[in-house]
Amino acid sequence: MQECRSVAELAVRSCSRPRAPRTCARTRGRVDNETSCVWLHYCMRCVPFEGALNETCIVDGVIFNSLPLCPAPVNEARCGGCVNIELQELCIGLCSKDCKWANVSWMRGRRCSLRVEPEEVVDNTFMIVLSSIGGFFVLIVLSVGCRWFLAMRRRAREQAEVRRMTRRMTSQKNRALRGSMSRSYASEGSAEDGGLHASSREGQGSVHDSTGSAGSGSRLEGTSAIKLSSSSNQELRSSTASSSSHSSIKSPAGSKDAPEARRRTSTHSSSSS
Protein backbone atom coordinates (compact mmCIF):
# COMPACT_ATOMS: atom_id res chain seq x y z
CA MET A 1 0.00 0.00 0.00
CA GLN A 2 1.47 3.35 -1.08
CA GLU A 3 1.43 6.88 0.24
CA CYS A 4 -1.36 9.17 -0.85
CA ARG A 5 -0.64 11.67 -3.62
CA SER A 6 -0.65 15.38 -3.02
CA VAL A 7 -4.27 15.96 -4.06
CA ALA A 8 -5.47 13.00 -1.98
CA GLU A 9 -3.29 14.07 0.93
CA LEU A 10 -4.76 17.56 0.77
CA ALA A 11 -8.27 16.17 0.86
CA VAL A 12 -7.41 13.96 3.86
CA ARG A 13 -5.82 16.79 5.82
CA SER A 14 -8.66 19.20 5.00
CA CYS A 15 -11.35 16.76 6.15
CA SER A 16 -9.43 15.69 9.28
CA ARG A 17 -9.43 19.17 10.86
CA PRO A 18 -13.13 19.50 11.85
CA ARG A 19 -14.18 18.00 15.18
CA ALA A 20 -17.95 18.37 14.89
CA PRO A 21 -20.61 17.47 12.34
CA ARG A 22 -21.54 21.09 11.45
CA THR A 23 -17.97 22.12 10.75
CA CYS A 24 -17.42 18.88 8.80
CA ALA A 25 -20.39 19.69 6.56
CA ARG A 26 -18.89 23.09 5.70
CA THR A 27 -15.46 21.76 4.79
CA ARG A 28 -14.54 21.02 1.15
CA GLY A 29 -12.23 18.11 0.58
CA ARG A 30 -10.96 19.35 -2.76
CA VAL A 31 -10.69 22.83 -4.25
CA ASP A 32 -11.97 21.71 -7.64
CA ASN A 33 -15.00 20.03 -6.10
CA GLU A 34 -17.75 21.62 -4.02
CA THR A 35 -18.66 18.32 -2.28
CA SER A 36 -18.22 18.59 1.46
CA CYS A 37 -16.61 16.05 3.78
CA VAL A 38 -18.58 13.26 5.52
CA TRP A 39 -19.09 12.90 9.30
CA LEU A 40 -19.03 9.32 10.68
CA HIS A 41 -20.70 8.88 14.10
CA TYR A 42 -19.22 5.44 14.49
CA CYS A 43 -15.70 6.82 14.84
CA MET A 44 -16.64 10.44 15.56
CA ARG A 45 -14.43 11.65 12.70
CA CYS A 46 -14.70 13.66 9.49
CA VAL A 47 -13.40 11.84 6.39
CA PRO A 48 -13.13 12.68 2.66
CA PHE A 49 -16.22 12.14 0.51
CA GLU A 50 -16.53 9.29 -1.95
CA GLY A 51 -14.32 9.92 -5.01
CA ALA A 52 -11.98 12.32 -3.23
CA LEU A 53 -9.38 9.54 -3.08
CA ASN A 54 -8.79 7.50 -6.19
CA GLU A 55 -7.55 4.56 -4.12
CA THR A 56 -6.77 3.48 -0.58
CA CYS A 57 -3.57 5.13 0.58
CA ILE A 58 -1.57 6.02 3.67
CA VAL A 59 -1.09 9.43 5.29
CA ASP A 60 1.14 9.71 8.39
CA GLY A 61 0.83 6.01 9.20
CA VAL A 62 -3.00 6.00 8.91
CA ILE A 63 -4.89 4.12 6.24
CA PHE A 64 -7.63 6.07 4.43
CA ASN A 65 -10.07 4.37 2.05
CA SER A 66 -11.48 5.62 -1.20
CA LEU A 67 -14.92 5.08 0.36
CA PRO A 68 -16.02 7.16 3.36
CA LEU A 69 -14.95 4.69 6.06
CA CYS A 70 -13.28 5.07 9.44
CA PRO A 71 -9.46 5.14 9.17
CA ALA A 72 -7.22 2.50 10.74
CA PRO A 73 -3.55 2.60 11.86
CA VAL A 74 -0.95 0.80 9.86
CA ASN A 75 0.52 -0.63 13.04
CA GLU A 76 -2.35 -2.45 14.76
CA ALA A 77 -0.29 -2.73 17.94
CA ARG A 78 -1.17 0.90 18.73
CA CYS A 79 -4.75 -0.24 19.48
CA GLY A 80 -3.73 -3.24 21.57
CA GLY A 81 -5.62 -3.56 24.79
CA CYS A 82 -7.70 -0.36 24.29
CA VAL A 83 -7.63 0.02 28.09
CA ASN A 84 -4.46 2.10 28.19
CA ILE A 85 -5.67 4.64 25.57
CA GLU A 86 -6.65 7.95 27.17
CA LEU A 87 -7.44 10.03 24.04
CA GLN A 88 -10.84 9.90 22.39
CA GLU A 89 -9.44 10.67 18.88
CA LEU A 90 -7.12 7.69 19.22
CA CYS A 91 -9.60 5.31 20.90
CA ILE A 92 -12.44 5.72 18.44
CA GLY A 93 -10.79 7.93 15.81
CA LEU A 94 -8.27 5.33 14.74
CA CYS A 95 -9.10 2.17 16.70
CA SER A 96 -12.89 2.25 16.33
CA LYS A 97 -12.81 -1.23 14.86
CA ASP A 98 -11.74 -2.75 18.21
CA CYS A 99 -12.29 0.00 20.80
CA LYS A 100 -15.18 2.07 22.16
CA TRP A 101 -15.38 5.25 24.23
CA ALA A 102 -17.53 5.29 27.35
CA ASN A 103 -18.72 8.94 27.19
CA VAL A 104 -18.34 11.07 24.05
CA SER A 105 -18.65 14.26 26.10
CA TRP A 106 -15.24 13.60 27.63
CA MET A 107 -12.21 13.88 25.36
CA ARG A 108 -9.66 12.59 27.85
CA GLY A 109 -9.47 9.92 30.50
CA ARG A 110 -9.40 6.19 30.91
CA ARG A 111 -12.73 5.61 29.24
CA CYS A 112 -11.61 3.43 26.38
CA SER A 113 -12.45 -0.25 26.42
CA LEU A 114 -12.78 -3.15 24.06
CA ARG A 115 -15.82 -3.00 21.80
CA VAL A 116 -16.35 -6.74 21.99
CA GLU A 117 -15.40 -8.28 25.30
CA PRO A 118 -13.51 -11.53 24.90
CA GLU A 119 -15.14 -14.59 26.27
CA GLU A 120 -13.80 -15.44 29.64
CA VAL A 121 -12.06 -18.76 29.49
CA VAL A 122 -12.97 -20.74 32.54
CA ASP A 123 -10.82 -23.66 33.53
CA ASN A 124 -13.30 -26.47 33.85
CA THR A 125 -10.73 -29.19 34.34
CA PHE A 126 -11.74 -29.80 37.94
CA MET A 127 -15.42 -29.89 37.04
CA ILE A 128 -14.73 -32.22 34.13
CA VAL A 129 -12.75 -34.60 36.31
CA LEU A 130 -15.34 -34.41 39.07
CA SER A 131 -18.22 -35.04 36.65
CA SER A 132 -16.30 -37.96 35.12
CA ILE A 133 -15.79 -39.55 38.54
CA GLY A 134 -19.43 -38.91 39.44
CA GLY A 135 -20.60 -40.41 36.16
CA PHE A 136 -18.43 -43.48 36.79
CA PHE A 137 -19.96 -43.99 40.23
CA VAL A 138 -23.44 -43.41 38.82
CA LEU A 139 -22.81 -46.09 36.19
CA ILE A 140 -21.64 -48.49 38.91
CA VAL A 141 -24.73 -47.77 41.00
CA LEU A 142 -26.99 -48.20 37.97
CA SER A 143 -25.38 -51.50 37.03
CA VAL A 144 -25.62 -52.82 40.59
CA GLY A 145 -29.20 -51.60 40.86
CA CYS A 146 -30.14 -53.26 37.57
CA ARG A 147 -28.59 -56.54 38.66
CA TRP A 148 -30.33 -56.36 42.04
CA PHE A 149 -33.63 -55.59 40.35
CA LEU A 150 -33.25 -58.50 37.95
CA ALA A 151 -32.30 -60.84 40.82
CA MET A 152 -35.30 -59.73 42.88
CA ARG A 153 -37.58 -60.13 39.89
CA ARG A 154 -36.25 -63.63 39.21
CA ARG A 155 -36.65 -64.54 42.89
CA ALA A 156 -40.21 -63.21 42.90
CA ARG A 157 -41.02 -65.28 39.83
CA GLU A 158 -39.55 -68.39 41.45
CA GLN A 159 -41.52 -67.79 44.65
CA ALA A 160 -44.69 -67.29 42.63
CA GLU A 161 -44.03 -70.52 40.75
CA VAL A 162 -43.42 -72.37 44.03
CA ARG A 163 -46.65 -71.00 45.50
CA ARG A 164 -48.54 -71.98 42.38
CA MET A 165 -47.15 -75.52 42.46
CA THR A 166 -47.89 -75.76 46.19
CA ARG A 167 -51.50 -74.68 45.63
CA ARG A 168 -51.84 -77.17 42.79
CA MET A 169 -50.43 -80.02 44.89
CA THR A 170 -52.64 -79.05 47.84
CA SER A 171 -55.72 -78.97 45.63
CA GLN A 172 -54.82 -82.38 44.17
CA LYS A 173 -54.31 -83.82 47.67
CA ASN A 174 -57.62 -82.39 48.83
CA ARG A 175 -59.36 -83.75 45.75
CA ALA A 176 -57.85 -87.22 46.32
CA LEU A 177 -58.77 -87.08 50.00
CA ARG A 178 -62.34 -86.11 49.21
CA GLY A 179 -62.54 -88.94 46.65
CA SER A 180 -61.27 -91.54 49.13
CA MET A 181 -63.62 -90.25 51.85
CA SER A 182 -66.56 -90.38 49.47
CA ARG A 183 -65.66 -93.95 48.48
CA SER A 184 -65.33 -95.00 52.12
CA TYR A 185 -68.64 -93.33 52.93
CA ALA A 186 -70.23 -95.11 50.00
CA SER A 187 -68.87 -98.52 51.09
CA GLU A 188 -70.00 -97.91 54.69
CA GLY A 189 -73.43 -96.84 53.46
CA SER A 190 -73.79 -99.94 51.31
CA ALA A 191 -72.77 -102.15 54.26
CA GLU A 192 -75.27 -100.41 56.51
CA ASP A 193 -77.97 -100.77 53.87
CA GLY A 194 -77.21 -104.51 53.61
CA GLY A 195 -77.36 -104.89 57.40
CA LEU A 196 -80.63 -102.98 57.52
CA HIS A 197 -82.14 -105.23 54.81
CA ALA A 198 -80.96 -108.33 56.66
CA SER A 199 -82.30 -107.10 59.99
CA SER A 200 -85.59 -106.14 58.37
CA ARG A 201 -85.86 -109.61 56.87
CA GLU A 202 -85.03 -111.18 60.21
CA GLY A 203 -87.59 -108.99 61.95
CA GLN A 204 -90.23 -109.90 59.42
CA GLY A 205 -89.43 -113.62 59.92
CA SER A 206 -89.58 -113.31 63.67
CA VAL A 207 -92.85 -111.41 63.43
CA HIS A 208 -94.31 -114.17 61.25
CA ASP A 209 -93.01 -116.82 63.64
CA SER A 210 -94.36 -115.07 66.70
CA THR A 211 -97.65 -114.46 64.97
CA GLY A 212 -97.94 -118.12 63.98
CA SER A 213 -96.95 -119.39 67.42
CA ALA A 214 -99.30 -116.95 69.07
CA GLY A 215 -102.14 -118.03 66.81
CA SER A 216 -101.49 -121.71 67.36
CA GLY A 217 -101.17 -121.13 71.12
CA SER A 218 -104.42 -119.19 71.23
CA ARG A 219 -106.13 -121.87 69.23
CA LEU A 220 -104.82 -124.54 71.62
CA GLU A 221 -105.83 -122.47 74.64
CA GLY A 222 -109.29 -121.94 73.17
CA THR A 223 -109.70 -125.65 72.50
CA SER A 224 -108.52 -126.57 75.96
CA ALA A 225 -110.79 -123.92 77.50
CA ILE A 226 -113.77 -125.29 75.55
CA LYS A 227 -112.92 -128.79 76.66
CA LEU A 228 -112.58 -127.66 80.31
CA SER A 229 -115.84 -125.74 80.15
CA SER A 230 -117.65 -128.71 78.66
CA SER A 231 -116.19 -131.07 81.25
CA SER A 232 -117.06 -128.69 84.06
CA ASN A 233 -120.57 -128.36 82.74
CA GLN A 234 -120.91 -132.10 82.63
CA GLU A 235 -119.56 -132.39 86.17
CA LEU A 236 -121.96 -129.73 87.41
CA ARG A 237 -124.88 -131.42 85.72
CA SER A 238 -123.91 -134.74 87.22
CA SER A 239 -123.43 -133.22 90.66
CA THR A 240 -126.70 -131.37 90.41
CA ALA A 241 -128.53 -134.45 89.37
CA SER A 242 -127.05 -136.44 92.22
CA SER A 243 -127.80 -133.79 94.74
CA SER A 244 -131.32 -133.41 93.56
CA SER A 245 -131.88 -137.11 93.77
CA HIS A 246 -130.51 -137.25 97.32
CA SER A 247 -132.54 -134.30 98.41
CA SER A 248 -135.73 -135.75 97.05
CA ILE A 249 -135.17 -138.94 98.87
CA LYS A 250 -134.13 -137.67 102.34
CA SER A 251 -136.19 -134.61 102.96
CA PRO A 252 -138.99 -132.67 101.36
CA ALA A 253 -137.26 -129.40 102.15
CA GLY A 254 -134.77 -130.14 99.53
CA SER A 255 -137.34 -129.22 96.94
CA LYS A 256 -137.14 -125.60 98.03
CA ASP A 257 -133.34 -125.38 97.56
CA ALA A 258 -133.36 -126.88 94.08
CA PRO A 259 -133.92 -123.66 92.10
CA GLU A 260 -131.13 -121.86 93.98
CA ALA A 261 -128.74 -124.69 93.26
CA ARG A 262 -129.60 -124.52 89.61
CA ARG A 263 -128.90 -120.76 89.52
CA ARG A 264 -125.48 -121.28 91.13
CA THR A 265 -124.69 -124.03 88.64
CA SER A 266 -125.62 -121.85 85.65
CA THR A 267 -123.60 -118.89 87.03
CA HIS A 268 -120.52 -121.07 87.58
CA SER A 269 -120.79 -122.47 84.06
CA SER A 270 -121.11 -119.03 82.46
CA SER A 271 -118.12 -117.67 84.39
CA SER A 272 -115.98 -120.63 83.47
CA SER A 273 -116.93 -120.30 79.82
Side-chain angles (χ1 to χ4, degrees), residues 45-190:
R45 187 161 184 153
C46 188
V47 296
F49 58 88
E50 184 178 358
L53 304 179
N54 294 326
E55 59 183 359
T56 302
C57 56
I58 300 172
V59 176
D60 296 337
V62 179
I63 301 172
F64 291 92
N65 296 288
S66 59
L67 299 175
L69 297 175
C70 293
V74 175
N75 186 11
E76 295 181 356
R78 297 179 62 182
C79 300
C82 298
V83 178
N84 298 324
I85 300 175
E86 297 182 358
L87 297 175
Q88 182 186 13
E89 58 268 20
L90 179 61
C91 179
I92 58 177
L94 294 178
C95 303
S96 60
K97 181 180 178 181
D98 299 325
C99 303
K100 64 179 181 179
W101 190 258
N103 190 354
V104 294
S105 300
W106 296 88
M107 304 299 292
R108 301 285 184 272
R110 302 180 67 86
R111 295 177 175 85
C112 187
S113 61
L114 290 173
R115 187 173 294 277
V116 179
E117 295 290 338
E119 294 182 0
E120 184 178 358
V121 179
V122 180
D123 189 7
N124 295 324
T125 306
F126 177 74
M127 295 301 296
I128 292 171
V129 173
L130 186 63
S131 61
S132 300
I133 296 173
F136 178 73
F137 281 108
V138 169
L139 288 176
I140 293 175
V141 171
L142 287 175
S143 61
V144 173
C146 291
R147 291 182 180 180
W148 177 79
F149 176 74
L150 293 175
M152 293 298 293
R153 187 177 180 183
R154 184 169 58 253
R155 186 179 300 175
R157 286 183 175 178
E158 291 176 356
Q159 292 178 356
E161 186 68 20
V162 169
R163 287 195 296 269
R164 189 173 64 84
M165 294 298 294
T166 304
R167 286 196 297 270
R168 182 180 295 178
M169 293 173 65
T170 304
S171 62
Q172 291 178 357
K173 287 181 180 179
N174 293 334
R175 195 179 298 114
L177 181 61
R178 287 195 294 270
S180 62
M181 291 176 67
S182 62
R183 286 193 295 272
S184 63
Y185 289 157
S187 61
E188 290 178 1
S190 61

Side-chain angles (χ1 to χ4, degrees), residues 15 24-29 33-38 46-50:
C15 290
C24 181
R26 296 174 185 174
T27 305
R28 302 289 184 269
N33 195 331
E34 295 182 358
T35 306
S36 61
C37 299
V38 180
C46 188
V47 296
F49 58 88
E50 184 178 358

